[in-house]
Amino acid sequence: MRRRAFFKSLIGATSSFGMVRHGYGGKKEALIPTSVASGAPFSRVVLATERGLSHGIRPVAEERIGNLLARSIETLFEENADTVWRRLFHPEDVVGLKVNCLAGKGLSTRLELVNAVCEALLQAGIKKHRIIIWDRADRDLERAGYSIERRKNRVQCFGTNKAGYTSRIYEHGYVGSQLSRIVTDYCSAIINLPVLKDHGIVGLSVGLKNFFGAINNPNKYHDNAGDPYVADVNMLTPIRSKTRLTICDAITPQYEGGPPYMPQWTWPMNSLLVSTDMVAMDQVGWDIVEEKRRENKFSSLAGAGREPVYINTAADAEHELGTNNSAKINVLKV
Amino acid sequence: MDRRTFIKISSCSAAGYCLLRDGKVLAGDDGVAPARYYEKLPYRKIKCTLCPRECVIDDLERGYCGVRENRGGTYYTLVHGNPCSAHIDPIEKKPLFHFLPGTLAFSIATVGCNVFCKFCQNWQISQARPEQVKSMKMSPEKVAKVAVERNCPSVAYTYTEPVVFTEYMYDTARACRDRNIKSVMISNGYIQKEPMKDLCTVLNAVKIDLKAFTRRFYKELVAGELKPVLDTLILLRQQNMWTEIVYLIIPGQNDDPGELEKLSKWIVEELGPDTPLHFSRFYPQYRLKNLPATPISTLETARKIALDNGLKYVYIGNVPGHAAENTYCPSCQRLLVKRTGYRIIENAIQNNRCSYCSATIAGVW
Ligand code: SF4
């Protein structure tokens, strides 16, 4: 998306609208990728790659990434991308784009990918001011290259430090947290935009872990490699009910040394992972990272004492957030 | 702190006074100061050695307590000189019953805690991160100055968990000592030996919340461990620090008579029978709203068990008007300090002794 179009919007409205839930185990909906919608007990994860897209902190060509995103969406939903965006998001939605920016430039959701998502939403009829790019704090967003934006007629971009947290405590299992009001009050729909990376404590950070950036007390939930906390956070109703799509930035993932940016352990994968099943996506991401670690003579994440078993927990009978069973995951390579 | 801008005294409650403030969310790097007690690790990681969690923290990340941050391989506290609460309380509110009774304590807290109790009374500040709560600027010297101005012979580090603001507590206690103001730490005792020893050089009394006497309770309801807390109590004893213990009794969770018997025996053997023990009443809150308040009979049973096992000063707290709020002479059993809530009605301790039988009464009077 062009910067001109990107950074102009109105003040964000705060109305909420009825949501549908998507993904594995969810109710059959027109928007659900065909395999699930047809009743087959498996999920689809698109792994879309374009050689030479970028490496390190070098910028990505926006047009190329826009095309890659469109191809991913079309593959996942087996429909024209514009149609999918229009069906996924209603013009009255306020769509929150949850990026992952804590690591700064190099290992944060790329601006160019977020621009491409904004462009797709604008094309689908969502007004600029009804798109909110957000993370925990302005400081984190700025460090990753985003500009804080709250002016009228602009796509909004700000941290929860601006919006605040709910006074209510949302609870599930071992988790009791206040949620970002961007999730509860501002947005009616969320697109999760994580980065594929190793995590020094919980093993892996992809889609599920990204929602630690939506709670007030993520520091309390890293014990036991994040299990069952990561899964429990994703069970909190506003997060679960509003998240409609996950698009993971795997352009230059990192297989060791995360979550901070350690360029020596990144590689040019030049890919996006796209799914409505966050657990399936995390499982695919886990497999990718393990393979890369093997290739580079690192121990497995289990061997390193940080197997991301929260992914298994997210798939268990209590959580049913998606499937982690590789036999039930269709990885669609584009 | 600038009094004109955010401090004024007003009547707050029966408990005493609170310092009302026009606090604000502090911007940028307010409160950031180098942390003590950590080791540098490869790849800009650090290991915090302040409390038993020993968090290993990557660059730009924070520890479990949320108030200490790794910035480029150097560890920082984010709350030095930034209290989120500042009140003047009776010392009895801490509770410390054997330490300067009837005096006021200038009480401060920053945000943050190194455990995660499901029954926390102050979760809005203890479980928050600095950027989520309004705080004020108040240097250690300023704290000491306010204590002097407000006729508080002590400063209490309280409400949240002072272990996590140890640098601020230590520096403030030193500034207070220079002005002849005492310092008391109201803590969960979840701290490593070295920092606790350092604190003992500047503190005058400590109150430890011993939350249970089982590992299960600590694991499930506190997200911590029992043993380090017991180790801290023993260390405080070795350091001759005046220490009182509070044990909040939660129905069905830590009220088993066998557990209370073991607890009492352990205190008598390891800390001595003069250690005051306060059994406190639980009221449903935070994430334990589903449980009932502690029956008074449970508190009375607990007190009897502790007395039967040799403890001399056993109190019942959070039950205003209960006779076990008072101090009785362990020798002649006469009433020595009569309390109602946090108020001292009468005090018959003279020169550390019972004024009736001259028995020595342990404490700092
Ligand atoms: S003081 Fe905080 S950072 Fe340090 S070990 Fe304890 S919880 Fe972790």
Side-chain angles (χ1 to χ4, degrees):
Chain A
M1 193 182 76
R2 280 140 217 65
R3 217 163 285 272
R4 276 191 313 282
F6 179 48
F7 288 119
K8 289 182 191 160
S9 68
L10 287 173
I11 290 290
T14 58
S15 55
S16 319
F17 301 91
M19 289 303 107
V20 289
R21 199 181 134 211
H22 310 284
Y24 182 83
K27 218 171 98 193
K28 185 173 170 177
E29 297 282 353
L31 297 174
I32 297 172
T34 47
S35 57
V36 177
S38 64
F42 59 86
S43 288
R44 296 157 68 98
V45 178
V46 171
L47 170 51
T49 307
E50 178 159 334
R51 283 187 186 283
L53 201 56
S54 172
H55 192 217
I57 56 173
R58 285 201 299 270
V60 182
E62 287 189 12
E63 202 179 308
R64 291 178 73 191
I65 205 163
N67 290 339
L68 189 62
L69 177 64
R71 286 208 319 268
S72 307
I73 294 290
E74 283 169 3
T75 305
L76 181 63
F77 291 90
E78 295 178 342
E79 241 182 321
N80 171 275
D82 290 345
T83 311
V84 172
W85 286 108
R86 281 180 196 281
R87 292 175 62 189
L88 273 177
F89 301 99
H90 191 271
E92 288 178 331
D93 272 325
V94 176
V95 186
L97 311 186
K98 170 64 181 77
V99 292
N100 187 313
C101 289
L102 192 60
K105 279 186 185 157
L107 200 58
S108 294
T109 315
R110 282 169 186 271
L111 200 62
E112 299 91 328
L113 172 60
V114 177
N115 284 348
V117 173
C118 288
E119 184 66 32
L121 289 170
L122 293 170
Q123 293 297 324
I126 312 291
K127 294 269 190 288
K128 289 175 207 154
H129 70 276
R130 302 181 86 86
I131 301 170
I132 304 172
I133 300 160
W134 65 281
D135 203 349
R136 186 179 309 149
D138 289 354
R139 185 177 74 163
D140 299 339
L141 287 158
E142 285 172 329
R143 201 162 43 207
Y146 292 79
S147 302
I148 302 308
E149 184 58 82
R150 298 207 70 181
R151 285 176 293 175
K152 291 179 180 179
N153 292 319
R154 301 286 204 281
V155 169
Q156 303 287 290
C157 179
F158 55 88
T160 297
N161 59 307
K162 288 265 172 32
Y165 289 91
T166 58
S167 51
R168 173 180 163 189
I169 298 165
Y170 288 84
E171 291 188 84
H172 185 90
Y174 285 84
V175 160
S177 295
Q178 293 163 280
L179 280 175
S180 167
R181 290 184 58 235
I182 297 171
V183 175
T184 57
D185 299 357
Y186 288 49
C187 295
S188 57
I190 294 170
I191 302 176
N192 189 13
L193 284 148
V195 175
L196 174 58
K197 61 179 173 180
D198 170 71
H199 191 289
I201 302 173
V202 306
L204 188 75
S205 177
V206 196
L208 294 163
K209 174 70 170 60
N210 196 28
F211 281 117
F212 267 28
I215 57 174
N216 71 314
N217 54 354
N219 42 298
K220 297 295 186 196
Y221 303 135
H222 286 81
D223 284 354
N224 199 38
D227 185 45
Y229 310 105
V230 180
D232 285 349
V233 164
N234 280 273
M235 290 296 284
L236 301 179
T237 303
I239 291 175
R240 191 175 187 183
S241 65
K242 293 185 182 184
T243 305
R244 297 187 189 175
L245 184 63
T246 302
I247 303 167
C248 175
D249 179 342
I251 297 169
T252 47
Q254 188 171 308
Y255 60 87
E256 167 69 13
Y261 178 46
M262 298 279 175
Q264 68 271 35
W265 291 313
T266 62
W267 82 100
M269 188 174 158
N270 293 312
S271 300
L272 301 179
L273 290 164
V274 185
S275 185
T276 55
D277 181 339
M278 229 191 295
V279 182
M281 179 188 285
D282 275 29
Q283 184 61 50
V284 171
W286 183 0
D287 295 343
I288 291 168
V289 166
E290 291 286 19
E291 194 185 320
K292 204 70 196 172
R293 290 177 67 85
R294 262 196 311 275
E295 207 179 296
N296 288 280
K297 312 268 182 288
F298 279 87
S299 66
S300 65
L301 291 173
R306 48 192 165 97
E307 188 179 16
V309 289
Y310 67 80
I311 297 171
N312 307 343
T313 302
D316 71 14
E318 191 213 317
H319 294 81
E320 287 191 316
L321 284 162
T323 182
N324 68 330
N325 182 345
S326 298
K328 294 182 177 178
I329 300 171
N330 249 359
V331 180
L332 306 165
K333 294 190 176 167
V334 180
Chain B
M1 185 180 62
D2 177 342
R3 195 176 320 155
R4 272 196 314 281
T5 54
F6 70 56
I7 197 167
K8 58 185 177 183
I9 280 197
S10 88
S11 170
C12 185
S13 68
Y17 302 92
C18 62
L19 292 175
L20 298 179
R21 59 190 166 69
D22 175 20
K24 57 178 182 174
V25 176
L26 297 166
D29 282 348
D30 282 330
V32 177
R36 297 162 203 166
Y37 312 110
Y38 74 96
E39 294 165 13
K40 290 190 179 237
L41 301 177
Y43 302 110
R44 306 195 302 272
K45 284 181 198 261
I46 68 94
K47 178 171 143 186
C48 179
T49 55
L50 174 55
C51 94
R53 284 192 183 280
E54 298 197 331
C55 299
V56 173
I57 301 153
D58 280 297
D59 189 15
L60 299 173
E61 300 276 335
R62 294 187 193 174
Y64 187 89
C65 53
V67 298
R68 306 169 78 77
E69 186 171 284
N70 181 346
R71 295 185 176 183
T74 302
Y75 209 33
Y76 293 91
T77 164
L78 307 179
V79 293
H80 195 288
N82 285 162
C84 61
S85 296
H87 299 261
I88 294 174
D89 292 333
I91 193 82
E92 283 75 15
K93 192 179 174 185
K94 305 298 120 192
L96 280 169
F97 278 12
H98 290 232
F99 185 84
L100 307 180
T103 64
L104 296 173
F106 182 39
S107 306
I108 58 169
T110 75
V111 296
C113 184
N114 56 354
V115 295
F116 192 15
C117 300
K118 289 189 171 169
F119 45 89
C120 184
Q121 307 179 48
N122 291 329
W123 63 270
Q124 291 93 338
I125 50 176
S126 70
Q127 300 306 319
R129 293 153 73 100
E131 63 275 19
Q132 295 164 5
V133 171
K134 289 178 178 179
S135 294
M136 63 191 92
K137 284 189 184 180
M138 200 186 287
S139 68
E141 293 70 28
K142 190 75 187 180
V143 174
K145 189 163 175 275
V146 172
V148 170
E149 285 170 1
R150 302 295 169 190
N151 293 321
C152 299
S154 65
V155 166
Y157 311 93
T158 180
Y159 304 133
T160 55
E161 179 43 61
V163 166
V164 307
F165 61 88
T166 194
E167 296 85 0
Y168 182 41
M169 172 165 51
Y170 181 90
D171 293 348
T172 304
R174 277 187 65 157
C176 286
R177 194 175 56 184
D178 293 345
R179 288 172 174 263
N180 214 17
I181 299 290
K182 297 194 176 354
S183 280
V184 302
M185 174 188 182
I186 311 304
S187 171
N188 60 22
Y190 210 52
I191 183 171
Q192 300 240 28
K193 216 169 183 174
E194 188 198 341
M196 190 66 246
K197 270 187 174 174
D198 289 346
L199 285 166
C200 283
T201 64
V202 291
L203 294 175
N204 301 93
V206 174
K207 188 216 82 179
I208 297 292
D209 280 305
L210 181 56
K211 295 169 194 283
F213 207 62
T214 60
R215 290 181 66 194
R216 179 203 66 82
F217 184 102
Y218 266 87
K219 187 166 185 284
E220 292 176 8
L221 297 176
V222 177
E225 294 283 338
L226 169 63
K227 187 169 182 302
V229 181
L230 301 181
D231 291 345
T232 297
L233 283 163
I234 291 170
L235 176 67
L236 291 168
R237 168 74 178 166
Q238 289 164 350
Q239 300 286 312
N240 286 322
M241 178 63 58
W242 180 254
T243 303
E244 302 191 22
I245 297 172
V246 166
Y247 187 102
L248 179 78
I249 299 190
I250 302 177
Q253 301 298 324
N254 60 358
D255 57 355
D256 175 67
E259 179 183 348
L260 296 171
E261 178 138 358
K262 277 189 203 156
L263 161 79
S264 305
K265 283 192 162 77
W266 184 87
I267 296 174
V268 170
E269 280 166 23
E270 300 291 342
L271 311 177
D274 284 338
T275 309
L277 174 61
H278 304 249
F279 287 114
S280 196
R281 189 180 196 196
F282 161 83
Y283 288 97
Q285 57 199 326
Y286 193 34
R287 299 179 64 199
L288 283 189
K289 286 199 178 123
N290 54 327
L291 296 181
T294 319
I296 292 172
S297 58
T298 305
L299 296 160
E300 289 168 340
T301 302
R303 181 168 185 264
K304 184 171 183 315
I305 291 169
L307 289 169
D308 288 349
N309 278 281
L311 280 164
K312 293 180 183 171
Y313 309 103
V314 187
Y315 299 98
I316 289 179
N318 276 353
V319 186
H322 196 285
E325 283 187 317
N326 303 324
T327 302
Y328 300 90
C329 174
S331 179
C332 70
Q333 314 303 325
R334 300 279 291 271
L335 176 64
L336 292 179
V337 183
K338 184 168 169 53
R339 301 180 180 86
T340 299
Y342 303 130
R343 283 175 49 221
I344 303 287
I345 308 299
E346 60 183 79
N347 183 350
I349 297 172
Q350 286 173 356
N351 301 324
N352 291 6
R353 290 182 180 278
C354 168
S355 57
Y356 304 106
C357 72
S358 297
T360 300
I361 308 299
V364 180
W365 308 104

